[in-house]
Amino acid sequence: MMRPTAVARWSVQIAAFGLLIYGGFLVKAALGRSVLPGVSAPAGAYSSNTLPQQSIAWAPGDEPAFNFYPPGAACRFNPGGGLFKACIVHMFSENLTWRTPLKYLSLYLFLFVLLAFLFGRAWCGWICPLGTLGDALTGLRRLLHIDHADFSGGFRKALRICSYGILAPTLAVSAFIGMPAFTPYQCYLFLPYCQVCPARLLCPLFGGRTSTLADFTNGISSFLSIASWVVLGLFVAAFFLGRRIWCHLCPIGLVNSWFNRGSPLELRKDQVRCNRCAACADACPMGLDHVVRKKGKAVLNEPGCVLCLRCVDACPRDSCLSVTFWGKQLIQSKYRETHS
Amino acid sequence: MATKVVVLSDGKAVGKALVNTGTDPRAAGAEALSQALGQAGLQECELPRIVTGYGRVVANNGARTITEILAAARGAHCVAPLADGVIDLGGQDTKVIKLGPDGTVADFIMNDKCAAGTGRFLELMVSALGVDFDGLGDLAAAAAKPARINSTCAVFAGSEVVSLIARSVPESDIAAGLFASIASRIAALATHVGGAGRYAFIGGGAKSPAMKKALESALGKEVIVPDDPQFVVALGAALSAAQP
Amino acid sequence: MAAEDLKLRERALALFAARDGRPAALEYFEDAVRSEDISAGDGPLLGVFCNFVPAEVVEAAGAVPVRLCSGSVVAQSVGEQMMPRDTCPVARATFGAVAGGFGLASRVRAVVVPTSCDAKRRLAEFLSDYVPVLSLSIPPRNDYRTELPYWVSELERLAEGLSRITGVTPTRARLEAAILRRRARQDAFRDLGRARLRYPHVLAGSDLALVAAAAFAAESSRWAEATRRLASEVRTLGEARPRPADFVPLVLTGAPLLWPAWKLYDVIQSAGGSVVADTLCSVTQGLDDPVQVDDWSRAGIMRALALRYFAASLCPCFMDTTALTDRVFELVHDWKAQGVVAHNLRLCQLAEMQSARLRHILRDKGIPFLAVDTELGTEDVEQVRVRVEAFMEMIRERPCAQR
């Protein structure tokens, strides 16, 4: 009795999860190598390939299959080096540290922007593997008939500000960490956000790798290990009890959110058909209520919306909400009969 | 209450009759019809007819019926083509009609539940002032300053008139105040259907010049009273009978 | 008195049954309204009013909800022995039905009165002399952002109060079961709605009102089955029968037309109009909106119930009636209606004020509008008739392009 969009989204999420986590491994197993030449570090520059294994657990020779940074948060820690290079925050971090010339980066930047423009933050709702894992936790909670936690609009705004507070220092640290003065700290602060991102602990587990789980060789690495466990704990708690509240904090989601407004993938509302029942607001895992609240606007793209389409499914009024791509309608809200 | 008949020939009224309805609308209708036909010099069986008004349900004898709103609109548009609003002040009820282009009914509103704003209101008042209907109009014409009648209910307005007389307010001022009171009720009705630029004023109440003056003052618009205002609704029904 | 009340209802049924080509499936609904055989085997009957009391909570508490809003002039005259004359006709009639013991009103164990308007609030106290009364507080703002926690707390209070009467606790599982069972009604009603949208000329407005009246007096799943049968008969008849050229579809809004006071349906239909859609709490609003549950935890279920029964309500007792005017536009558009009729029950300030507002809003949009001020009795039927007939004449004279 699952709703059609739910079936579609779970299918895409599971397929994307498999592809992103194991894709690189499968491509290399098939072809024996990466497909595209990578952007490598300039000669003599600091590179993650020379790092101690414990801190970032990047096995020598592990390269992603495609040198490309999609918005879907493919992680550099995926088994086999991953299908794609990594997520967009990784891209900024790594290339800021390496001072990579723009002409090498421009193609990948362009591809990222193109995809993000086309699909906005739908990547978060349909592709991101952390989101998929999180949605599975939500599914467990629902099975147990436990109610989800509610967060105020103020709390969500605060999280978004914290998100900027994660992204900005990440970029700043990345910009400076390559300089000679910071050499002793480089192995610990290279890719600063990746050091604490839950993906660093979770993704290698799918390849049977546990080496990223803890590193107590010295003070900084211990601190970072503990910090990453705290973040993982928050991640699990947030997703188990709070639906997608974590996504308000995630810096990759933040970058994707800049592309929602103006994207040709639009969530539209026929205001006259709305009966203000707020079923859409009740269903939204990001806790947004703009769908019921906004008046006089046909297009409802919000930065926080991950386009999971639960609102469209929840709406009981025919043709009230719809999703269009370049003006062509993909789905619309419809009263759906249930079978008791 | 009165039953009116209009007989048309080649679009012109050649016979008119008005008979008190009494308790038998059918008999009153038959009487008025034969009088009007007599005037016109015509035989009954030749003519298509339409019956309108409250009696249309019981006294139609199988003839077609239309509501008196449609009839009022058609009749008014015929005798006052420049008007885009119609006010029908009858003994029992009051109607305000907003006309569209070509004299069609664009919107309408009726007051047939409350005496305030109808001819009945005046009937109740004439006894308080000891004059007849025409005398009331003459009194009002001589008014220096119309008295304010505050009560919306005809029954309470009667008491208010008595107390005004007791306070030595001139009777002419009271009379003018009564007409002003009706006119303001009608003007309030008129706002519900959207203001017109020019009103045709029909029905029994339109025979009073004092009422016309009070209406013009309350509406702030021109008010046209056609000849024989009491027959305009019957004329409208006759015009409709002429169409298939 | 009870016999007179029954005669009144029989006359009303006979009046509307005498129509050519009426779907045979309507017989079930006539019987349901006549016999009021809502089965008490599932638990004690609980009287409810308006569309604010969640039937699912009542059922989960082991009771059977029956709507007691009465339109009987016989009951009204009984009510007037205690209540003043110039009060809401529905309050007088409902009180009279309970005090006089007419029909379902004589079989209820208790009643739940929502505090939606002044009349209901005062009615509750009058009723308390005859039956135990539970109240459901309805805040005047139906903005879910500020009111949702309060709505949920009121529903929890209601659940607790009901369980003390019935001895059955509305658990999460019982609520879930009740929601799924009741959902069959909305499914059936929407199915009928789809059939009617395709073939609006088959079922009269009074027929649809009969279906709705039966919904509140008949057992839930039998009613849902009968509604499905009716929907398929509407489709069959609709295909065989073309729409008449002089079909005038109208939207009906305003105060409820409570069984058996259906004079307005009779007058409209005799004048050649057809009520194809409505915003009435007595018909569509009681049956159309589903309970949309996002989270099947108990708190999630209570939220969903609160949203459907409070937030989605179109009642003019709330401060903001934009949703109601929007619904009128939506219905006029979807059903290609040629006019809107507002039913104003005399002394209902909410309906009359809303109607005055609607008149100006619709006039600006060029949609013909008629407000009919009336009461439960038939004394003013000719006054209603002249207005409705003039309205129909007005619509028929409009150039086709405008309609």
Side-chain angles (χ1 to χ4, degrees), chain C residues 39-100:
Chain C
S39 93
D42 296 332
L45 296 187
L46 197 85
V48 299
F49 300 92
C50 308
N51 286 317
F52 287 115
V53 183
E56 292 84 354
V57 173
V58 174
E59 279 188 15
V64 178
V66 293
R67 201 160 70 173
L68 293 185
C69 307
S70 171
S72 160
V73 280
V74 174
Q76 185 184 262
S77 63
V78 171
E80 273 167 13
Q81 292 167 16
M82 283 277 286
M83 281 188 165
R85 212 189 160 264
D86 281 353
T87 51
C88 166
V90 177
R92 278 180 274 147
T94 305
F95 172 66
V98 171

Side-chain angles (χ1 to χ4, degrees), chain C residues 7-228:
Chain C
K7 266 203 291 215
L8 182 68
R9 289 195 254 151
E10 274 308 318
R11 272 204 302 272
L13 279 177
L15 177 64
F16 292 107
R19 186 172 71 91
D20 282 334
R22 202 160 172 254
L26 284 167
E27 240 186 84
Y28 166 82
F29 302 99
E30 283 177 2
D31 288 337
V33 160
R34 187 180 282 124
S35 65
E36 289 179 331
D37 75 338
I38 186 161
S39 93
D42 296 332
L45 296 187
L46 197 85
V48 299
F49 300 92
C50 308
N51 286 317
F52 287 115
V53 183
E56 292 84 354
V57 173
V58 174
E59 279 188 15
V64 178
V66 293
R67 201 160 70 173
L68 293 185
C69 307
S70 171
S72 160
V73 280
V74 174
Q76 185 184 262
S77 63
V78 171
E80 273 167 13
Q81 292 167 16
M82 283 277 286
M83 281 188 165
R85 212 189 160 264
D86 281 353
T87 51
C88 166
V90 177
R92 278 180 274 147
T94 305
F95 172 66
V98 171
F102 299 147
L104 284 169
S106 64
R107 294 160 54 194
V108 294
R109 173 91 70 88
V111 297
V112 182
V113 183
T115 62
S116 32
C117 59
D118 291 347
K120 292 275 173 346
R121 287 191 277 265
R122 298 279 84 249
L123 173 67
E125 200 167 38
F126 273 85
L127 290 176
S128 65
D129 292 337
Y130 292 86
V131 279
V133 172
L134 292 168
S135 71
L136 184 68
S137 179
I138 312 286
R141 242 195 330 246
N142 71 336
D143 181 349
Y144 81 99
R145 278 177 297 165
T146 52
E147 312 299 322
L148 183 59
Y150 186 69
W151 292 339
V152 170
S153 78
E154 274 297 295
L155 291 184
E156 288 288 1
R157 210 173 57 83
L158 176 68
E160 207 214 326
L162 287 173
S163 68
R164 269 189 261 122
I165 292 176
T166 61
V168 177
T169 311
T171 59
R172 191 211 71 79
R174 288 187 65 95
L175 282 166
E176 176 173 356
I179 289 175
L180 292 174
R181 259 200 322 267
R182 281 257 153 186
R183 184 58 184 255
R185 286 157 63 100
Q186 279 93 35
D187 291 351
F189 193 73
R190 289 266 183 153
D191 187 29
L192 181 61
R194 280 192 298 271
R196 286 174 44 242
L197 186 62
R198 181 82 183 79
Y199 305 109
H201 54 294
V202 176
L203 213 61
S206 55
D207 294 336
L208 188 68
L210 179 66
V211 170
F216 299 106
E219 196 275 317
S220 193
S221 57
R222 280 203 297 274
W223 180 90
E225 277 166 33
T227 304
R228 293 267 190 190

Side-chain angles (χ1 to χ4, degrees), chain A residues 154-193:
Chain A
F155 185 78
R156 290 195 299 273
K157 282 204 184 77
L159 285 184
R160 191 168 164 83
I161 291 171
C162 287
S163 188
Y164 279 101
I166 294 170
L167 187 64
T170 298
L171 298 180
V173 170
S174 300
F176 290 108
I177 202 65
M179 292 155 62
F182 297 100
T183 310
Y185 311 105
Q186 277 165 354
C187 62
Y188 306 107
L189 293 179
F190 181 55
L191 308 176
Y193 179 70

Side-chain angles (χ1 to χ4, degrees), chain A residues 1 3 141-142 145-148 150 243 271-279 281-284 288-290 292-293 295 310 313-318 334-340, chain C residues 144-145 172 176 180-181 183-184 186-188 190-191 194 228 288-290 292-300 303-304 307-308 311-314 322-323 326-327 329-330 333-334:
Chain A
M1 207 193 72
R3 310 165 321 249
R141 172 187 60 76
R142 288 166 63 93
H145 294 135
I146 300 171
D147 191 26
H148 59 78
D150 257 325
R243 300 186 291 182
Q271 179 67 34
V272 159
R273 297 183 180 282
C274 175
N275 68 347
R276 285 74 166 164
C277 72
D282 197 39
C284 180
L288 305 172
D289 65 357
H290 63 293
V292 64
R293 200 174 25 90
K295 310 265 186 283
R310 286 182 70 91
D313 276 345
C315 180
R317 311 281 315 158
D318 291 339
K334 208 167 88 90
Y335 179 90
R336 242 178 309 264
E337 296 199 3
T338 54
H339 303 282
S340 40
Chain C
Y144 81 99
R145 278 177 297 165
R172 191 211 71 79
E176 176 173 356
L180 292 174
R181 259 200 322 267
R183 184 58 184 255
Q186 279 93 35
D187 291 351
R190 289 266 183 153
D191 187 29
R194 280 192 298 271
R228 293 267 190 190
D288 205 47
D289 290 316
Q292 286 290 65
V293 182
D294 170 66
D295 193 295
W296 288 96
S297 62
R298 188 195 167 90
R303 269 201 307 275
L307 289 177
R308 181 257 179 254
S313 171
L314 298 185
T322 322
D326 276 354
R327 177 65 58 84
F329 288 138
E330 184 190 6
H333 172 269
D334 287 353

